[in-house]
Amino acid sequence: MAKKRVLLLSEGFGAGHTQAAHALSSSLRQLSPSVQTKVLELGSFLNPKIAPLIISAYRKTITTRPRLVGYMYRHQKSFNRFTALALHRMFYTSTKNVVRQLKPDIIVCTHFIPSAVISRLKRLGIDVPLCTVITDYDAHDTWISPEVDRYFVSTPEVKRKLLNRGVSQAKIQVTGIPIHPDFWTHPSKKEIRERFNLSDMPTVLVMGGGWGIMNDEVVHEFLTRWREEVQIIFCLGNNDKGRKEMENNPRFQHPNIRILGFTREIDKLMEVSDLLVTKPGGMTCTEGLAKGIPMLFHQPLPGQEEENCQYFTAQGLGEPIHSLEVIGSWMNKLLHQYDVIQQQRAQNLRDIERFHPMQSARSIIDMLENEKVYS
């Protein structure tokens, strides 16, 4: 029996979109040995010379001009014609050739650009079911297209936003954002501590985002005030410059401080940590949600991150860092109300049981098994 082929398309604008694609790929393979998956960052695959320049420019923009990012987020419609023209010139013909060559039984997009590209190809005659995974706790107009057969969304609130924009209820499924299945497991904390040479004490994990862009010296140095009583793990992602500077700073040279670069074992570090300090990206927030860990949100970018921050704050799962006093308050909780924090974490884990990690993958397999409905 021939394997069913699932093509997962993402873009490299931040790590979260591609992480979601790989997480979904892993879940699909776990659920069914008859499913074959392939993950592509569409722009980088089709234009390996141009795409890195565009992504680099985007990265520079979000670090130096975050307000511009927020303006673009709030005015997507103003950019739709320009985006459509750019996509037409750069992607449509090449993507059509890729689809014809790979012959997927279904296409899943975890970023709105490939979703828009495939939607246009469907209008031009490509006949393949299209699923779109919205990887934040908000939904803007650029995600939406009549050619999408199924939307996988994070919450009922996002579903309502799509309904208000005219999307059929039959096309929307609330699944949570797909993250790697490892985040839903709870391995031995003792073994994790031994592996990473960590102590059994209150622990804070500080994450800088997939690009390591959270590099606030004030917040970082303020946290070290508690280094004698609290273990602090700094994970700086791909920010090698920031990591080296921190390693050479005497303030961070302490047995209770760990400084890490890029790692694929965030699930284990979250498991042994009691508090997460992070930028509120959709994937990181969802990973923290799966672990039940309380979160402090640092400098959300205007747009999606602000929406993510507002959602998790409203749900009582996190708190924005409006001032250093917020950090001080949580450090005191770790030291003097540790049992309360652990009880809250256990409650958080019970509350998320309704979001099974395999929901979106199961829906895709159901679509593959009933593909005649979409032909």
Side-chain angles (χ1 to χ4, degrees):
M1 181 178 177
K3 287 191 173 185
K4 296 291 186 179
R5 300 177 179 179
V6 180
L7 176 60
L8 299 109
L9 299 178
S10 180
E11 286 296 352
F13 295 95
H17 301 286
T18 303
Q19 286 176 8
H22 282 293
L24 196 46
S25 172
S26 178
S27 295
L28 286 165
R29 293 196 305 273
Q30 283 191 27
L31 284 175
S32 177
S34 64
V35 172
Q36 184 180 45
T37 64
K38 187 173 187 62
V39 177
L40 292 178
E41 286 187 345
L42 188 60
S44 298
F45 179 74
L46 297 178
N47 295 276
K49 293 182 179 180
I50 297 175
L53 299 177
I54 297 174
I55 293 171
S56 178
Y58 174 76
R59 178 178 179 177
K60 185 175 181 179
T61 300
I62 65 174
T63 54
T64 61
R65 302 186 66 186
R67 290 184 180 180
L68 176 60
V69 176
Y71 178 85
M72 294 174 66
Y73 183 84
R74 292 188 296 271
H75 298 83
Q76 296 102 2
K77 289 184 178 180
S78 302
F79 295 92
N80 277 354
R81 290 187 179 180
F82 170 78
T83 302
L85 177 62
L87 291 174
H88 184 275
R89 291 182 179 277
M90 293 177 62
F91 293 128
Y92 290 137
T93 301
S94 299
T95 304
K96 186 176 182 179
N97 294 335
V98 169
V99 173
R100 285 179 170 173
Q101 180 180 355
L102 296 179
K103 298 179 180 178
D105 295 286
I106 196 166
I107 297 176
V108 182
C109 296
T110 59
H111 191 280
F112 57 83
I113 289 180
S115 181
V117 172
I118 299 300
S119 293
R120 178 171 175 82
L121 290 179
K122 290 189 68 172
R123 291 196 295 273
L124 297 176
I126 290 289
D127 184 19
V128 59
L130 171 61
C131 296
T132 294
V133 182
I134 298 179
T135 54
D136 281 297
Y137 292 80
D138 187 30
H140 52 71
D141 291 338
T142 51
W143 285 104
I144 300 171
S145 171
E147 286 72 32
V148 176
D149 296 291
R150 184 71 54 84
Y151 292 93
F152 299 125
V153 302
S154 54
T155 65
E157 289 81 1
V158 175
K159 178 179 179 178
R160 283 194 289 271
K161 291 182 178 182
L162 291 183
L163 291 172
N164 291 337
R165 288 171 167 84
V167 178
S168 167
Q169 181 165 312
K171 289 187 173 185
I172 311 169
Q173 187 168 357
V174 180
T175 60
I177 297 173
I179 56 175
H180 195 282
D182 286 351
F183 283 92
W184 296 90
T185 64
H186 301 284
S188 166
K189 292 186 178 182
K190 182 176 183 294
E191 292 179 4
I192 296 173
R193 292 188 183 106
E194 290 176 352
R195 178 173 178 176
F196 286 92
N197 193 27
L198 298 170
S199 301
D200 184 3
M201 61 191 301
T203 302
V204 176
L205 174 62
V206 184
M207 291 180 60
W211 280 338
I213 59 176
M214 194 190 97
N215 188 22
D216 190 316
E217 296 178 0
V218 174
V219 168
H220 288 176
E221 293 204 9
F222 186 73
L223 281 166
T224 64
R225 293 187 181 188
W226 287 269
R227 60 187 179 179
E228 298 294 338
E229 302 165 290
V230 175
Q231 186 169 234
I232 308 169
I233 305 171
F234 291 99
C235 185
L236 275 67
N238 292 315
N239 186 358
D240 292 332
K241 179 182 178 182
R243 177 178 55 81
K244 292 176 182 177
E245 289 177 352
M246 187 176 287
E247 288 173 342
N248 292 326
N249 187 334
R251 186 73 188 172
F252 299 94
Q253 296 171 356
H254 190 276
N256 290 336
I257 293 178
R258 297 287 185 276
I259 302 170
L260 305 176
F262 176 80
T263 176
R264 298 187 184 278
E265 298 185 290
I266 292 297
D267 59 298
K268 297 178 180 61
L269 296 175
M270 284 189 182
E271 185 70 24
V272 296
S273 298
D274 304 295
L275 179 66
L276 173 63
V277 180
T278 182
K279 293 186 67 60
M283 285 298 292
T284 302
C285 287
T286 306
E287 292 165 353
L289 175 71
K291 289 296 184 181
I293 187 171
M295 293 176 271
L296 296 184
F297 302 124
H298 183 65
Q299 294 182 344
L301 289 172
Q304 296 101 316
E305 288 192 357
E306 286 183 335
E307 296 290 338
N308 297 340
C309 181
Q310 290 173 13
Y311 173 79
F312 278 87
T313 300
Q315 297 297 314
L317 299 168
E319 182 178 355
I321 302 176
H322 293 306
S323 65
L324 294 178
E325 283 74 18
V326 172
I327 297 176
S329 174
W330 275 92
M331 293 299 104
N332 289 328
K333 287 180 184 178
L334 282 177
L335 294 175
H336 306 296
Q337 297 180 322
Y338 189 76
D339 290 344
V340 175
I341 289 182
Q342 293 305 301
Q343 291 170 10
Q344 181 60 53
R345 186 169 190 175
Q347 183 60 51
N348 291 347
L349 290 173
R350 289 191 290 270
D351 289 343
I352 64 166
E353 289 180 352
R354 66 187 186 279
F355 290 123
H356 194 280
M358 298 291 186
Q359 280 195 72
S360 49
R362 283 175 176 162
S363 294
I364 292 170
I365 289 176
D366 287 342
M367 291 177 70
L368 288 169
E369 292 175 348
N370 297 279
E371 61 181 343
K372 60 184 178 181
V373 175
Y374 300 93
S375 60

